[in-house]
Every structure is written in C-alpha cells, then in structure tokens.
Amino acid sequence: MSQRELFLRLIQVSLWNQHSHFGPLDNVRYRALMQMADQQAVRGLVSNSILDETNAVILERDNALETLRFDHENKQLNSKIDAGLSALVDLLDFHQIRFVVVKGQTIECLYPIRHLRIGGDIDFYVMPEDFERAKTLLQQEWNVKYDEGDANKHLEFIHNHVIFEMHYLLLHFASNRVQKEFDTIVKCTKIVRRKMNGISVPVLAPEFEILYTFLHLYHHFLEVGIGIRHLCDMAVLCHYHFSNGLDKHLLKSHLDKLGFTKAFSAFGAVCIQTLRLQENEFPIPVDANDYRFVEPIMAEIFLRGNMGVYFRKYAVRSGFAYFCESLYSKIHLYRLFYSLAPKETRALIWREIPTKILRALKL
C-alpha cells in the first residue's frame, strides 16, 4: 500500500467508524503520515485510526506518546470551542437575535466520534435586520474588539480565547447575477435547530447547509486551496442528511440556478472515490464525466494543502511577489476547471483578475 493509499485508508476508517488491520508503522512512515495529515487538516481522523486498538497499528514509543498527546489536546480544543458556541447561542437567543451557525462545530458534531475534526473558529450569520443590534450587544456583554476581517463578509473578534466570525454576507461571488440569486436563496431558506452537547443550535436547512458548505469549499479551492478536511465535511453532511431527510430536487434547483451543478457533481465523485462515501448518499447522480475530474482535483489538493499554505513561497499574503504568485495560481485553476462553473469563472476572469493586477501594479 502506497503512502497516499495508507493515508486515505486511515481517514476512511475514522470517517465511517470502520476497522482495518494496518500493522507496524516505523518512524519514517509515521512522520510522513503526520506531515500529510497536518497539511490536509485531518490529523484528528488519522490519529483516531492509529489509536484504535482494533486496527492493530503498532508504533514506536515516542510516536505513540505524540499521538496520544495530540488526541488529548484536540479534544480540549474542541471542548473550548463548544463552550464558546454554547455561550454565543445562550446570549443571542436570550436577546431574540436571529442568527445561524455555519460550518465548524455544527458539522463536527455529525462525525461518528466527537472531536475527530480539528477545531477552528466559530462562524455565524446574523440576519441583516439584527446585525447592528448583535454587534452592539456583543460589545457590551463580552467587551469584544472587532477586526474587519474580510471586508466583504464578516467581522472578527476573540472571546475567551475562541475566534468568532460574525457574517453579514455568507458568500461573495464575482458574478452579480450569481450573487443576486444566492442572496435570494438565503432570504428564503429555513432555519432549523440541531442538538449539540445539550444545547439547541440554529443551523441552515439541510439543502442549503450542503449547498453553502460546498460553495464555500469550491470558493477556497479556486482562490487559495483546500485540505481534505473540507471534503470530509462535505461527505459527512451528505451521509447525515441522506439518513435524516433531504429535498434533493430543491438542492438541484439551487445548483442549477447558480451554475454550480457540474462542480458539485465533480466534487461528489471525489468524495465517493477518495473518501468512500456511498454513491447513493450523494444528493445528485454522478457519471463518468464527473470522475474524470477526481485526479486533477486531488492533485491540486495534495499540492496546495489546507488554505494553500503549503504551496505558497511567500508566507505574507501581500507584496508584489505574492500577488504575482497568486495570480498565476488562479489563472491555472480557472483554466483547468472552467467547465465546472463557467458563469462564475468568467466573472472571476473579467472582474477579479484585472482588479488584482491593478492592485499589484500599485505596490
């Protein structure tokens, strides 16, 4: 079994709560696996498979201790983020502020074992009519200081060592027509509640939760890069909603209107072939043409790593050299995957690229 095959198998075993027989892992192979796991933001999944005694993984003593230590620290991190989420829900619910929590812990709780997913920040979207009230409330109650973050989408703040992103726009599209359609979908979507750690958290309706999670994934895939963790989130959501009710026709309608059906199917093929998601659990049919994109997509994911940080030569995301590197990368990806979402990609080419060139020339 090659290194990549072993890596993916370790992920699959944790993702679907399966068991396998792996045998001894020497120090060289263990180090290579952990490096790959860090680059793809799935160390929690890989460590869980290694620590599960039924998988018969044999490690050198220092490596075993390192894996146990990471597992413990990851559980502590997720517990801290869970506490932050609980405090946020209690505060906003009490003051009757309408909001919805997206990604992160709302997906983490759907994994077969809690804390397999490495924790990050807490993203939540506040309805436009309540945004300013929520902003003032959090300043008064938590004494937070806001960072503009992404000027197009959200404000950032830290409370009790947990990072929060308060969104006033869930996604920004280059195409005005796509943006208008997406904003209409946002206004019409229902909000449901999901039980997590004894609290009821407002989340997106199943169809829109899958749609948003995918669109967020695809945006980052083209712009900076994604890790396999993003694929795992998508696969886990499809698996969960397949068993708990999903309006597939409504999801397909949203994808068609936005022009992302082909892209969604291609990444579905990736989840099925790479992560072993059951084909019948993916919300729309996947055909041979979709599977043609599996290898090119996975090549980019392994090359760039989570958020593209392992591909970039320039650590600081500014300066002329960084903009040139970023521009070259984007043009490469737009060309390679143009057919998956042509409407949005055309807008990126004609609107975003000239803007970035002008910005680079001013540096």
Side-chain angles (χ1 to χ4, degrees):
M1 187 182 295
S2 71
Q3 189 76 359
R4 185 172 296 187
E5 288 171 339
L6 173 59
F7 175 66
L8 291 174
R9 184 60 187 145
L10 287 165
I11 294 171
Q12 294 161 12
V13 165
S14 277
L15 203 58
W16 310 123
N17 203 20
Q18 300 170 347
H19 301 290
S20 190
H21 188 282
F22 293 102
L25 272 182
D26 62 31
N27 183 60
V28 172
R29 206 164 198 197
Y30 172 84
R31 289 290 159 202
L33 281 171
M34 291 302 107
Q35 181 182 31
M36 200 178 292
D38 287 337
Q39 290 174 347
Q40 299 301 325
V42 290
R43 189 161 181 170
L45 289 161
V46 173
S47 294
N48 179 72
S49 290
I50 288 174
L51 292 173
D52 189 335
E53 293 181 359
T54 59
N55 293 327
V57 179
I58 302 172
L59 298 177
E60 295 180 13
R61 182 178 180 277
D62 287 348
N63 294 338
L65 291 173
E66 179 182 319
T67 308
L68 284 166
R69 182 168 57 252
F70 170 82
D71 185 64
H72 175 70
E73 290 172 352
N74 188 43
K75 287 177 180 177
Q76 286 186 317
L77 172 62
N78 272 292
S79 294
K80 181 175 70 174
I81 299 170
D82 285 344
L85 177 58
S86 180
L88 177 75
V89 172
D90 286 345
L91 179 63
L92 298 187
D93 274 352
F94 182 79
H95 290 273
Q96 298 182 329
I97 288 174
R98 291 169 295 169
F99 72 105
V100 62
V101 183
V102 296
K103 304 181 296 176
Q105 300 306 96
T106 62
I107 299 178
E108 187 264 354
C109 71
L110 305 181
Y111 277 65
I113 303 173
R114 289 300 308 272
H115 308 312
L116 290 183
R117 187 183 188 275
I118 297 176
D121 52 21
I122 294 175
D123 292 82
F124 64 106
Y125 171 74
V126 180
M127 304 308 164
E129 314 86 74
D130 290 344
F131 189 85
E132 287 302 321
R133 192 159 64 93
K135 181 180 175 182
T136 301
L137 174 67
L138 288 163
Q139 279 181 318
Q140 292 175 343
E141 295 292 326
W142 287 1
N143 194 32
V144 301
K145 295 181 180 179
Y146 293 109
D147 181 354
E148 286 299 320
D150 187 329
N152 291 319
K153 292 190 297 185
H154 65 254
L155 298 176
E156 292 182 9
F157 63 90
I158 298 175
H159 179 64
N160 287 341
H161 308 291
V162 176
I163 300 172
F164 293 79
E165 291 186 358
M166 182 166 64
H167 291 253
Y168 43 86
L169 182 69
L170 277 174
L171 281 173
H172 170 70
F173 294 91
S175 166
N176 290 333
R177 295 167 75 180
V178 173
Q179 187 72 59
K180 185 177 179 180
E181 189 65 52
F182 180 79
D183 291 344
T184 300
I185 295 171
V186 173
K187 290 177 183 178
C188 297
T189 193
K190 295 179 181 179
I191 294 176
V192 298
R193 290 268 172 169
R194 179 170 297 153
K195 281 286 186 181
M196 296 174 51
N197 292 333
I199 63 171
S200 177
V201 180
V203 298
L204 298 167
E207 303 77 25
F208 192 57
E209 184 174 33
I210 290 177
L211 176 70
Y212 171 70
T213 301
F214 165 69
L215 291 173
H216 176 266
L217 172 159
Y218 193 71
H219 169 77
H220 281 302
F221 175 73
L222 287 184
E223 295 303 305
V224 290
I226 62 171
I228 289 177
R229 183 185 71 175
H230 291 82
L231 298 177
C232 291
D233 284 353
M234 182 175 167
V236 165
L237 272 180
C238 290
H239 173 75
Y240 173 79
H241 287 307
F242 171 79
S243 304
N244 292 275
L246 177 70
D247 188 337
K248 298 179 183 179
H249 297 293
L250 180 59
L251 174 59
K252 177 67 161 52
S253 175
H254 290 334
L255 287 163
D256 288 343
K257 289 177 182 177
L258 295 169
F260 281 91
T261 305
K262 288 184 178 179
F264 185 69
S265 297
F267 275 83
V270 173
C271 290
I272 292 164
Q273 184 168 306
T274 304
L275 300 180
R276 296 295 183 259
L277 173 71
Q278 294 297 308
E279 191 166 353
N280 67 314
E281 293 183 344
F282 193 69
I284 66 176
V286 175
D287 60 26
N289 185 59
D290 299 317
Y291 283 102
R292 290 194 306 109
F293 288 96
V294 173
E295 285 305 316
I297 289 172
M298 289 305 297
E300 295 297 333
I301 289 174
F302 275 110
L303 175 66
R304 297 168 192 279
N306 190 48
M307 306 308 289
V309 296
Y310 298 94
F311 172 74
R312 295 197 301 263
K313 294 179 181 177
Y314 305 95
V316 179
R317 295 178 65 177
S318 63
F320 183 76
Y322 167 77
F323 275 107
C324 290
E325 178 187 58
S326 177
L327 181 63
Y328 174 80
S329 173
K330 285 177 172 57
I331 292 172
H332 165 72
L333 291 173
Y334 296 164
R335 179 187 60 81
L336 202 58
F337 301 105
Y338 174 84
S339 64
L340 295 183
K343 189 188 301 185
E344 175 66 7
T345 308
R346 279 197 301 271
L348 286 166
I349 292 170
W350 293 111
R351 296 184 64 183
E352 297 291 311
I353 288 182
T355 300
K356 293 183 186 299
I357 292 175
L358 288 173
R359 191 184 304 167
L361 291 175
K362 291 178 182 178
L363 293 174

